[in-house]
Amino acid sequence: MLNKKVEKALNEQIKIEAQSSQVYLGMASWAERAGFQGCSAFLYLHSDEERVHMLKLIKFVNDRGGAAIIPELKQPEKDYKSLQNVFQQLNDHEEFVTQEINGVVDICLREKDYTTHNFMQWYVAEQIEEETLARNILDKLNLVGNDKGALYLFDRDLAAIKASGSGTPSK
Ligand code: OFO
């Protein structure tokens, strides 16, 4: 039977993953409307991946005899000032998620739930990749600035990057 404190923490994480998917879906839709097809494809994929992260947690909680709660979600932002703004928020969001995952890991250790601790290591590793990717994209975008030609190439490059990869956009 799943420890109650661990179950609560996992349910909170389910909500965070679901909200991440929702936020990235909002970003994808904005990028599509703004004409950044590559960024939009990347963000739609990233949104799908967050949903998979949520599902993985739901299955784990239920399989361990707990009750996974499907959360209510907030409406994500509709408008962004720029692509830089989108990816800055994505980067900040990933840093927030990492902290939350570390919090779950901490609870597992305090409650001596080594099974869940082991399960959570996948999320720890995933966050390292996602933070690296988000930072690399942001660095690249900051280099590009407002140069329209460079932004066009950046958008095209991003279409080629898998959201879960740790690669950087090519030059
Ligand atoms: Fe769920 O992987 Fe990042 O946030």
Side-chain angles (χ1 to χ4, degrees), residues 1-162:
M1 197 64 186
L2 199 54
N3 171 295
K4 282 291 160 203
K5 283 188 189 151
V6 173
E7 182 178 349
K8 185 166 178 281
L10 290 174
N11 269 313
E12 278 160 18
Q13 195 58 39
I14 286 171
K15 180 163 186 171
I16 289 170
E17 300 293 341
Q19 192 64 44
S20 302
S21 176
Q22 188 87 332
V23 167
Y24 298 155
L25 192 56
M27 290 176 172
S29 176
W30 176 85
E32 193 163 52
R33 296 195 310 273
F36 298 114
Q37 300 307 319
C39 291
S40 142
F42 171 87
L43 290 162
Y44 277 125
L45 184 60
H46 204 5
S47 170
D48 285 348
E49 291 193 352
E50 297 299 346
R51 185 167 191 281
V52 171
H53 299 172
M54 173 197 69
L55 286 172
K56 203 172 154 80
L57 280 159
I58 290 174
K59 297 262 181 238
F60 180 82
V61 171
N62 288 338
D63 285 351
R64 298 284 301 155
I69 311 294
I70 307 307
E72 191 178 353
L73 300 176
K74 281 201 303 233
Q75 182 179 42
E77 288 194 26
K78 286 186 243 125
D79 290 310
Y80 291 89
K81 285 196 291 280
S82 61
L83 262 191
Q84 273 89 349
N85 184 227
V86 166
F87 283 98
Q88 181 65 58
Q89 289 200 32
L90 186 145
N91 185 66
D92 295 349
H93 187 78
E94 288 300 333
E95 286 178 3
F96 158 75
V97 173
T98 300
Q99 278 177 19
E100 295 300 305
I101 284 173
N102 289 344
V104 179
V105 171
D106 198 45
I107 291 171
C108 291
L109 286 176
R110 272 191 274 135
E111 296 301 312
K112 299 190 179 356
D113 181 346
Y114 301 114
T115 308
T116 308
H117 180 270
N118 182 56
F119 168 77
M120 287 305 295
Q121 295 313 300
W122 184 87
Y123 288 85
V124 171
E126 181 71 12
Q127 282 310 117
I128 295 172
E129 275 199 12
E130 290 194 351
E131 275 198 34
T132 305
L133 181 59
R135 246 194 329 269
N136 285 342
I137 292 173
L138 198 54
D139 287 350
K140 188 80 180 173
L141 254 182
N142 287 335
L143 272 179
V144 160
N146 289 326
D147 180 327
K148 287 213 164 66
L151 267 179
Y152 172 81
L153 293 175
F154 169 86
D155 183 59
R156 202 191 54 185
D157 281 355
L158 214 56
I161 298 180
K162 283 176 64 206

